[in-house]
Amino acid sequence: MAASFLIFKGGKMASPRVATVMKQGKWTPWFYVLPALIIMTVFIVYPMINTVGLSFLNKDSSASAATTCVEGEACWGALENYRYALTNEINTSTPLTAWNTFWTSSYGNTIKWMVFMVAGTVIIGLVFAVLADKVKYEPLAKSIIFMPMAISFVGAGVIWKFMYNYGTSQVQIGVINAVITALGGKAIPFLSQPILNTFMLIIVGVWMWTGFCMTILSSAIKSIPEEVIEASRIDGATEWQVFMQIMVPIIAPTIVVVITTMVINTLKLFDIVYVMTGGNFGTDVIATRMYREMYSSYNTGRGTAIAVILIILIIPFIYMNIKRFIQQEAIR
Amino acid sequence: MKKARKITDGGPRTPLRTHILIIIILVIWLLPTIGLFVTSFRPIQRINTSGWWTVFSPDPEVKQADGSPAATLTLDNYIDSLMGYRGTKTYRAECASGSPGIGLTCTARDLLNPRGMGIAFVNTLLVTIPAVILPILIAAFAAYAFSWLDFKGRYFLFALLVGLQVVPLQMTLVPILKIYAQLGLAGTFWGVWLFHTGFGLPYAIYLLRNFMGGLPRDLFESAYLDGADHWTAFRRLVLPLTMPAIASLAIFQFLWVWNDLLVALVFLGGAKPVLTYQISNMVTSMGAGWHLLTAAAFISMLLPMIVFFALQRYFVRGMMAGAVKG
Amino acid sequence: MFKKSKFWAILSVVLVASMLLAACATPAPTAAPQPQPQPAPSDISCEGVTAGDQISMLYQWSGQEEERLNAILKPFVDACGVAIVPEASRDQALLDTKVQAGTPPDVVFWGSTQLKQYAEKLVAMDALGVDAANYADYWKAMGTIDGKLLGLPVKADIKSIVWYSPKAFTEAGYTVPTTWEELDALVEKMVADGKVPWSMGMESGDATGWTGTDFIEDIILVKQGPEYVDAVIAGTTPYNDPGVQEAYEIYGKWAKDEKYTIGGAAGTVSTNFNDAINKVFSTPPEAMMVKQSGFAAGQITTTYPTLVYGEDFDFFQVPGVKGLQGGADWGMAFSDKPAVKALFAYLASNKGGEEWAKVGFDLTPNKAGTTTYEDASLAKKAEMLAATTGFVADIGDAIPGFGVTEFRGVTDWVNGGDLAQILSTIAAAQAEGTK
């Protein structure tokens, strides 16, 4: 992929440090990696190259995207689908409208998801993994946090219907609005009120994915040697200091892994938005928009262009991971 | 493993506020699911007209077809979804009236009828087990190479791994299905296994490399001095020591495959229905029958939860005891 | 610390065992093939079909709908001994992937958009030897692309109807309106009486808004007539024409105001379309009327099983409507093998139409079914359909890739968007779809 190639060429990183401590035969590494490489090439790399090609073509891939340009309007030639994908949602008449429309576009929403969902899942997951580590009912407690992951999206959609439902009469079948009206307030249409609705959806995302972060972070915490922790306790460190100064630095590499994974998951996030609002009321994210262009508007060119943009967005995190990869090998 | 201990054993007693904090988080996390759980036992006539928390003070005005008050709690949602009942009443009511729908016999055989969850459960297991074991096995090898072997292009390939994770599934379906159609793999279990393997690999390698790469160098140096080669080190040292990571990976790959609908539909098809397929088809295109989803969600959740519990035994402190430099 | 040998042994046993099991698992078609075809009744032709022939099928119907389809196909399956290998999914990605990859199912039941979308790949009805004499001309016109009839409408529903409770109307002293002016006056009277006239909920996941566009198209039919709608579908009248705009304004006046509709704008966009039907028949009713297609009857009897059609719930045609709005699911073929030919021959035959109507899977466009409905409300709808002169399709169904923009447009409009801007966005999608 071009993206990783750029990083590979661009940085000081191109000097691989020999990581091995044991003698290895000339072909040994390839016995280990080749099966994986072959399968990934067939199933992801080859289809991807296909996709990138389609993104320069028109809706049914029968001619260049340049033929879809409308006379008298902006046109990027063969990159026309990219122009559409990047600018269509944004009203550029003034800088202010551009700014406002950006934050309700699929890109703005994806950024909101990235910031709040990744922060929410990683922080709650980490705190809970540490807390649960201290109690006897740890397996049960962890299972409860993990449970939403096991519920299929169809089930989750129904679950949150009973949380967010907006009743128009006195009868509320959604828990939150029932509480609000019981306290004398006015019911809130959580899913159709722009801005608020994206955050209500992010809550669903945090609820579902915290179990994932917790599980991985918990297995990292379990690998911290207890001598290290006990030693600092004997030195008089408080539990907070133990957490911040001992645990977090030791499991920092795993935290990077979890953050990267969650960023990828949020970039690809589709089901929650699709099931609960269908991308209406300004809740669109990149993946739901891609799906709609592909299968509701039957515009393969635009759909694939959005997919390519999605992949390009991951580059900063590729860079972050390579850096950490090299660091880890330097210190172990 | 019996020696595994908790931090608390030697440290200060767990303060009350820790318990309180844990329980608050647990309640928040459970509340939505409890709503679904209670709802799954309510008859359709009640679900829409009152909140699930009113379950103990039912409205007597809610009637069923014969004019008598509808039941407060019922098992019908579970029975209907297990049997794959698709009519307008309930499986029990229809059997009692003596005219069951097409393909139903009102005996235990219905559990295995092609629209019920019985066969789908078996199919889903057949899809899931190899689709979990294969990618993890292949990924473990690759991750070992990325961690402890030197080869040309490893940084480039590692960067690629991160990038590949973000490729949307939908983009790959058409080219792969074309290949499968030529090879005769469409509609076979092999087709689904290989696809899930392909899509699971980038993340699996990425995660395992993080854990394997974090193992201390001394470990390998001493192994080398003892005359071990890479194959021995991989099998005897690395695999056991990364068991917690492998276990969590197994859980997530299991969940992803278990809850997948699109891949199963495209590559396996309706002839070998999986659970998600049966569940999504309980609801009509106009949304009728969605109350069955409440029960179905719990039925399909059972096995993943059992797997999670079973793999908990790998998340214990002490596996790395003595293996990590201080 | 860890019993490696045991672990590997278990792992490989599990892996191998599951793979072997999978290899043995045989495909289980839902409708098992009859070993011997029964003596075929003279009205079902099985020409060229060998018992055990398979037809792969993909459709959007599931649950109760699939059950009804099976009942309709049963006489054919029994007579010819074919095995149907069905697949049900509403995921557009599935159909599109299969078609693009060159592995489409033999038969597809889907919306009319797909007729245009896959025009080059479909087998025309002529090539299948289908006699379409049982279908009204407007159906044939809808299914004809470039001079070829590419599909058979199988399941139809009419949209230009309003559901209400005769009991509630009688109690309040209301009568069913027969002209648009009467309807308008009735709505105002209800408001004056302190009642809410409409229940307009339009939430429907990714398709949120379709009840709104249905309503608007009916208003267009009242104010402008069927030729106007056909011109919008053809693209000759742009979607931001004053006629369309007027319909949006009339709809918006009701849909956004809590005097006219349950919950005002927020209620309209947040209430699920099925819940919106329920609200008219609850005790006490939250609103007096809901404009919804024929399927509403099923929703009413499921939620309120004691209600009786004709007394507790009934429907009337949108007053003053010229023509009738409706939609159909179409049968399309990607294969011309004998079993497929026999299936389409059955669907188009008198027997096929009668069976469809008897089972009561909405309406059949097949004329032979018109008089054989057993369900009273279906029979009444069938009469309306048979009597109509200007049948028009749902605009959103008729233009490929257009529906989704239209749905979002009406949702935005109710939720406070700017009408001129919304209509020009939709008009752009219309121009693109009709190019």
PDB file of all heavy atoms in Angstrom, chain C residues 4-29:
ATOM      1  N   LYS C   4       1.368 -28.740  27.195  1.00  0.00           N
ATOM      2  CA  LYS C   4       1.344 -28.367  25.781  1.00  0.00           C
ATOM      3  C   LYS C   4       0.773 -29.466  24.901  1.00  0.00           C
ATOM      4  O   LYS C   4      -0.053 -29.234  24.036  1.00  0.00           O
ATOM      5  CB  LYS C   4       2.760 -28.014  25.304  1.00  0.00           C
ATOM      6  CG  LYS C   4       3.106 -26.585  25.557  1.00  0.00           C
ATOM      7  CD  LYS C   4       4.547 -26.426  25.936  1.00  0.00           C
ATOM      8  CE  LYS C   4       4.676 -26.168  27.407  1.00  0.00           C
ATOM      9  NZ  LYS C   4       5.842 -26.596  28.060  1.00  0.00           N
ATOM     10  N   SER C   5       1.242 -30.693  25.184  1.00  0.00           N
ATOM     11  CA  SER C   5       0.829 -31.769  24.290  1.00  0.00           C
ATOM     12  C   SER C   5      -0.693 -31.905  24.303  1.00  0.00           C
ATOM     13  O   SER C   5      -1.334 -32.060  23.270  1.00  0.00           O
ATOM     14  CB  SER C   5       1.477 -33.066  24.722  1.00  0.00           C
ATOM     15  OG  SER C   5       1.275 -33.253  26.112  1.00  0.00           O
ATOM     16  N   LYS C   6      -1.263 -31.837  25.505  1.00  0.00           N
ATOM     17  CA  LYS C   6      -2.703 -31.991  25.627  1.00  0.00           C
ATOM     18  C   LYS C   6      -3.418 -30.861  24.877  1.00  0.00           C
ATOM     19  O   LYS C   6      -4.385 -31.084  24.158  1.00  0.00           O
ATOM     20  CB  LYS C   6      -3.077 -31.961  27.110  1.00  0.00           C
ATOM     21  CG  LYS C   6      -4.425 -32.585  27.394  1.00  0.00           C
ATOM     22  CD  LYS C   6      -4.671 -32.613  28.900  1.00  0.00           C
ATOM     23  CE  LYS C   6      -6.138 -32.473  29.193  1.00  0.00           C
ATOM     24  NZ  LYS C   6      -6.367 -31.940  30.539  1.00  0.00           N
ATOM     25  N   PHE C   7      -2.869 -29.656  25.054  1.00  0.00           N
ATOM     26  CA  PHE C   7      -3.481 -28.496  24.411  1.00  0.00           C
ATOM     27  C   PHE C   7      -3.530 -28.669  22.900  1.00  0.00           C
ATOM     28  O   PHE C   7      -4.552 -28.505  22.266  1.00  0.00           O
ATOM     29  CB  PHE C   7      -2.692 -27.241  24.789  1.00  0.00           C
ATOM     30  CG  PHE C   7      -3.130 -26.018  24.052  1.00  0.00           C
ATOM     31  CD1 PHE C   7      -4.269 -25.342  24.449  1.00  0.00           C
ATOM     32  CD2 PHE C   7      -2.422 -25.555  22.957  1.00  0.00           C
ATOM     33  CE1 PHE C   7      -4.678 -24.219  23.766  1.00  0.00           C
ATOM     34  CE2 PHE C   7      -2.827 -24.439  22.266  1.00  0.00           C
ATOM     35  CZ  PHE C   7      -3.964 -23.763  22.678  1.00  0.00           C
ATOM     36  N   TRP C   8      -2.382 -29.040  22.339  1.00  0.00           N
ATOM     37  CA  TRP C   8      -2.329 -29.189  20.886  1.00  0.00           C
ATOM     38  C   TRP C   8      -3.245 -30.314  20.421  1.00  0.00           C
ATOM     39  O   TRP C   8      -3.876 -30.213  19.359  1.00  0.00           O
ATOM     40  CB  TRP C   8      -0.896 -29.448  20.419  1.00  0.00           C
ATOM     41  CG  TRP C   8      -0.078 -28.202  20.484  1.00  0.00           C
ATOM     42  CD1 TRP C   8       0.879 -27.900  21.383  1.00  0.00           C
ATOM     43  CD2 TRP C   8      -0.183 -27.072  19.628  1.00  0.00           C
ATOM     44  NE1 TRP C   8       1.396 -26.650  21.146  1.00  0.00           N
ATOM     45  CE2 TRP C   8       0.762 -26.124  20.077  1.00  0.00           C
ATOM     46  CE3 TRP C   8      -0.983 -26.761  18.529  1.00  0.00           C
ATOM     47  CZ2 TRP C   8       0.924 -24.893  19.466  1.00  0.00           C
ATOM     48  CZ3 TRP C   8      -0.817 -25.529  17.923  1.00  0.00           C
ATOM     49  CH2 TRP C   8       0.122 -24.612  18.396  1.00  0.00           C
ATOM     50  N   ALA C   9      -3.290 -31.380  21.239  1.00  0.00           N
ATOM     51  CA  ALA C   9      -4.144 -32.500  20.854  1.00  0.00           C
ATOM     52  C   ALA C   9      -5.601 -32.038  20.785  1.00  0.00           C
ATOM     53  O   ALA C   9      -6.297 -32.282  19.798  1.00  0.00           O
ATOM     54  CB  ALA C   9      -3.996 -33.641  21.857  1.00  0.00           C
ATOM     55  N   ILE C  10      -6.053 -31.346  21.829  1.00  0.00           N
ATOM     56  CA  ILE C  10      -7.449 -30.888  21.868  1.00  0.00           C
ATOM     57  C   ILE C  10      -7.730 -29.959  20.697  1.00  0.00           C
ATOM     58  O   ILE C  10      -8.715 -30.098  19.977  1.00  0.00           O
ATOM     59  CB  ILE C  10      -7.743 -30.180  23.205  1.00  0.00           C
ATOM     60  CG1 ILE C  10      -7.683 -31.200  24.332  1.00  0.00           C
ATOM     61  CG2 ILE C  10      -9.112 -29.510  23.171  1.00  0.00           C
ATOM     62  CD1 ILE C  10      -7.801 -30.586  25.706  1.00  0.00           C
ATOM     63  N   LEU C  11      -6.796 -29.036  20.500  1.00  0.00           N
ATOM     64  CA  LEU C  11      -6.983 -28.043  19.449  1.00  0.00           C
ATOM     65  C   LEU C  11      -7.163 -28.716  18.097  1.00  0.00           C
ATOM     66  O   LEU C  11      -8.104 -28.428  17.353  1.00  0.00           O
ATOM     67  CB  LEU C  11      -5.775 -27.100  19.417  1.00  0.00           C
ATOM     68  CG  LEU C  11      -5.938 -25.902  18.488  1.00  0.00           C
ATOM     69  CD1 LEU C  11      -6.898 -24.912  19.108  1.00  0.00           C
ATOM     70  CD2 LEU C  11      -4.589 -25.253  18.234  1.00  0.00           C
ATOM     71  N   SER C  12      -6.264 -29.651  17.783  1.00  0.00           N
ATOM     72  CA  SER C  12      -6.361 -30.245  16.457  1.00  0.00           C
ATOM     73  C   SER C  12      -7.598 -31.122  16.332  1.00  0.00           C
ATOM     74  O   SER C  12      -8.222 -31.162  15.276  1.00  0.00           O
ATOM     75  CB  SER C  12      -5.086 -31.028  16.112  1.00  0.00           C
ATOM     76  OG  SER C  12      -4.594 -31.656  17.250  1.00  0.00           O
ATOM     77  N   VAL C  13      -7.978 -31.799  17.423  1.00  0.00           N
ATOM     78  CA  VAL C  13      -9.189 -32.617  17.362  1.00  0.00           C
ATOM     79  C   VAL C  13     -10.398 -31.738  17.065  1.00  0.00           C
ATOM     80  O   VAL C  13     -11.203 -32.033  16.176  1.00  0.00           O
ATOM     81  CB  VAL C  13      -9.395 -33.405  18.680  1.00  0.00           C
ATOM     82  CG1 VAL C  13     -10.814 -33.963  18.735  1.00  0.00           C
ATOM     83  CG2 VAL C  13      -8.387 -34.521  18.770  1.00  0.00           C
ATOM     84  N   VAL C  14     -10.506 -30.609  17.791  1.00  0.00           N
ATOM     85  CA  VAL C  14     -11.652 -29.720  17.592  1.00  0.00           C
ATOM     86  C   VAL C  14     -11.681 -29.190  16.167  1.00  0.00           C
ATOM     87  O   VAL C  14     -12.716 -29.203  15.495  1.00  0.00           O
ATOM     88  CB  VAL C  14     -11.605 -28.537  18.598  1.00  0.00           C
ATOM     89  CG1 VAL C  14     -12.653 -27.498  18.234  1.00  0.00           C
ATOM     90  CG2 VAL C  14     -11.814 -29.048  20.002  1.00  0.00           C
ATOM     91  N   LEU C  15     -10.516 -28.777  15.692  1.00  0.00           N
ATOM     92  CA  LEU C  15     -10.438 -28.191  14.355  1.00  0.00           C
ATOM     93  C   LEU C  15     -10.833 -29.215  13.297  1.00  0.00           C
ATOM     94  O   LEU C  15     -11.714 -28.986  12.468  1.00  0.00           O
ATOM     95  CB  LEU C  15      -9.023 -27.671  14.104  1.00  0.00           C
ATOM     96  CG  LEU C  15      -8.805 -26.956  12.778  1.00  0.00           C
ATOM     97  CD1 LEU C  15      -9.611 -25.679  12.745  1.00  0.00           C
ATOM     98  CD2 LEU C  15      -7.338 -26.643  12.575  1.00  0.00           C
ATOM     99  N   VAL C  16     -10.196 -30.369  13.379  1.00  0.00           N
ATOM    100  CA  VAL C  16     -10.457 -31.390  12.366  1.00  0.00           C
ATOM    101  C   VAL C  16     -11.917 -31.853  12.434  1.00  0.00           C
ATOM    102  O   VAL C  16     -12.587 -31.992  11.417  1.00  0.00           O
ATOM    103  CB  VAL C  16      -9.489 -32.578  12.534  1.00  0.00           C
ATOM    104  CG1 VAL C  16      -9.912 -33.739  11.646  1.00  0.00           C
ATOM    105  CG2 VAL C  16      -8.074 -32.139  12.213  1.00  0.00           C
ATOM    106  N   ALA C  17     -12.396 -32.053  13.663  1.00  0.00           N
ATOM    107  CA  ALA C  17     -13.762 -32.545  13.818  1.00  0.00           C
ATOM    108  C   ALA C  17     -14.757 -31.576  13.204  1.00  0.00           C
ATOM    109  O   ALA C  17     -15.665 -31.974  12.468  1.00  0.00           O
ATOM    110  CB  ALA C  17     -14.079 -32.769  15.286  1.00  0.00           C
ATOM    111  N   SER C  18     -14.569 -30.273  13.474  1.00  0.00           N
ATOM    112  CA  SER C  18     -15.557 -29.322  12.958  1.00  0.00           C
ATOM    113  C   SER C  18     -15.475 -29.227  11.450  1.00  0.00           C
ATOM    114  O   SER C  18     -16.478 -29.063  10.766  1.00  0.00           O
ATOM    115  CB  SER C  18     -15.373 -27.948  13.607  1.00  0.00           C
ATOM    116  OG  SER C  18     -14.086 -27.479  13.354  1.00  0.00           O
ATOM    117  N   MET C  19     -14.236 -29.359  10.914  1.00  0.00           N
ATOM    118  CA  MET C  19     -14.120 -29.290   9.463  1.00  0.00           C
ATOM    119  C   MET C  19     -14.768 -30.506   8.814  1.00  0.00           C
ATOM    120  O   MET C  19     -15.430 -30.396   7.784  1.00  0.00           O
ATOM    121  CB  MET C  19     -12.651 -29.189   9.064  1.00  0.00           C
ATOM    122  CG  MET C  19     -12.080 -27.813   9.362  1.00  0.00           C
ATOM    123  SD  MET C  19     -10.352 -27.746   8.928  1.00  0.00           S
ATOM    124  CE  MET C  19     -10.179 -26.034   8.515  1.00  0.00           C
ATOM    125  N   LEU C  20     -14.570 -31.680   9.414  1.00  0.00           N
ATOM    126  CA  LEU C  20     -15.176 -32.887   8.865  1.00  0.00           C
ATOM    127  C   LEU C  20     -16.703 -32.777   8.892  1.00  0.00           C
ATOM    128  O   LEU C  20     -17.375 -33.076   7.914  1.00  0.00           O
ATOM    129  CB  LEU C  20     -14.735 -34.112   9.667  1.00  0.00           C
ATOM    130  CG  LEU C  20     -13.346 -34.651   9.317  1.00  0.00           C
ATOM    131  CD1 LEU C  20     -13.001 -35.843  10.187  1.00  0.00           C
ATOM    132  CD2 LEU C  20     -13.295 -35.057   7.841  1.00  0.00           C
ATOM    133  N   LEU C  21     -17.195 -32.335  10.042  1.00  0.00           N
ATOM    134  CA  LEU C  21     -18.643 -32.186  10.188  1.00  0.00           C
ATOM    135  C   LEU C  21     -19.194 -31.264   9.102  1.00  0.00           C
ATOM    136  O   LEU C  21     -20.227 -31.527   8.499  1.00  0.00           O
ATOM    137  CB  LEU C  21     -18.975 -31.604  11.549  1.00  0.00           C
ATOM    138  CG  LEU C  21     -19.458 -32.601  12.585  1.00  0.00           C
ATOM    139  CD1 LEU C  21     -19.575 -31.924  13.935  1.00  0.00           C
ATOM    140  CD2 LEU C  21     -20.799 -33.174  12.155  1.00  0.00           C
ATOM    141  N   ALA C  22     -18.468 -30.168   8.903  1.00  0.00           N
ATOM    142  CA  ALA C  22     -18.916 -29.193   7.918  1.00  0.00           C
ATOM    143  C   ALA C  22     -18.949 -29.821   6.538  1.00  0.00           C
ATOM    144  O   ALA C  22     -19.853 -29.576   5.745  1.00  0.00           O
ATOM    145  CB  ALA C  22     -18.005 -27.978   7.928  1.00  0.00           C
ATOM    146  N   ALA C  23     -17.950 -30.672   6.262  1.00  0.00           N
ATOM    147  CA  ALA C  23     -17.892 -31.314   4.948  1.00  0.00           C
ATOM    148  C   ALA C  23     -19.096 -32.227   4.743  1.00  0.00           C
ATOM    149  O   ALA C  23     -19.605 -32.380   3.645  1.00  0.00           O
ATOM    150  CB  ALA C  23     -16.600 -32.096   4.808  1.00  0.00           C
ATOM    151  N   CYS C  24     -19.547 -32.835   5.854  1.00  0.00           N
ATOM    152  CA  CYS C  24     -20.667 -33.761   5.736  1.00  0.00           C
ATOM    153  C   CYS C  24     -22.014 -33.036   5.696  1.00  0.00           C
ATOM    154  O   CYS C  24     -22.986 -33.567   5.178  1.00  0.00           O
ATOM    155  CB  CYS C  24     -20.699 -34.736   6.908  1.00  0.00           C
ATOM    156  SG  CYS C  24     -19.192 -35.684   7.052  1.00  0.00           S
ATOM    157  N   ALA C  25     -22.042 -31.849   6.309  1.00  0.00           N
ATOM    158  CA  ALA C  25     -23.320 -31.144   6.377  1.00  0.00           C
ATOM    159  C   ALA C  25     -23.826 -30.894   4.975  1.00  0.00           C
ATOM    160  O   ALA C  25     -23.196 -30.220   4.178  1.00  0.00           O
ATOM    161  CB  ALA C  25     -23.153 -29.827   7.129  1.00  0.00           C
ATOM    162  N   THR C  26     -24.956 -31.454   4.664  1.00  0.00           N
ATOM    163  CA  THR C  26     -25.495 -31.277   3.326  1.00  0.00           C
ATOM    164  C   THR C  26     -26.405 -30.070   3.284  1.00  0.00           C
ATOM    165  O   THR C  26     -27.044 -29.747   4.276  1.00  0.00           O
ATOM    166  CB  THR C  26     -26.302 -32.517   2.910  1.00  0.00           C
ATOM    167  OG1 THR C  26     -27.110 -32.900   4.004  1.00  0.00           O
ATOM    168  CG2 THR C  26     -25.401 -33.653   2.519  1.00  0.00           C
ATOM    169  N   PRO C  27     -26.463 -29.399   2.146  1.00  0.00           N
ATOM    170  CA  PRO C  27     -27.376 -28.260   2.048  1.00  0.00           C
ATOM    171  C   PRO C  27     -28.810 -28.709   2.325  1.00  0.00           C
ATOM    172  O   PRO C  27     -29.205 -29.794   1.902  1.00  0.00           O
ATOM    173  CB  PRO C  27     -27.219 -27.781   0.598  1.00  0.00           C
ATOM    174  CG  PRO C  27     -26.514 -28.888  -0.109  1.00  0.00           C
ATOM    175  CD  PRO C  27     -25.739 -29.644   0.909  1.00  0.00           C
ATOM    176  N   ALA C  28     -29.526 -27.933   3.056  1.00  0.00           N
ATOM    177  CA  ALA C  28     -30.896 -28.287   3.399  1.00  0.00           C
ATOM    178  C   ALA C  28     -31.868 -27.272   2.846  1.00  0.00           C
ATOM    179  O   ALA C  28     -32.198 -26.302   3.496  1.00  0.00           O
ATOM    180  CB  ALA C  28     -31.043 -28.377   4.915  1.00  0.00           C
ATOM    181  N   PRO C  29     -32.300 -27.461   1.603  1.00  0.00           N
ATOM    182  CA  PRO C  29     -33.275 -26.521   1.056  1.00  0.00           C
ATOM    183  C   PRO C  29     -34.563 -26.561   1.870  1.00  0.00           C
ATOM    184  O   PRO C  29     -34.967 -27.645   2.314  1.00  0.00           O
ATOM    185  CB  PRO C  29     -33.529 -27.041  -0.360  1.00  0.00           C
ATOM    186  CG  PRO C  29     -32.698 -28.256  -0.539  1.00  0.00           C
ATOM    187  CD  PRO C  29     -32.058 -28.606   0.752  1.00  0.00           C
TER     188      PRO C  29
END
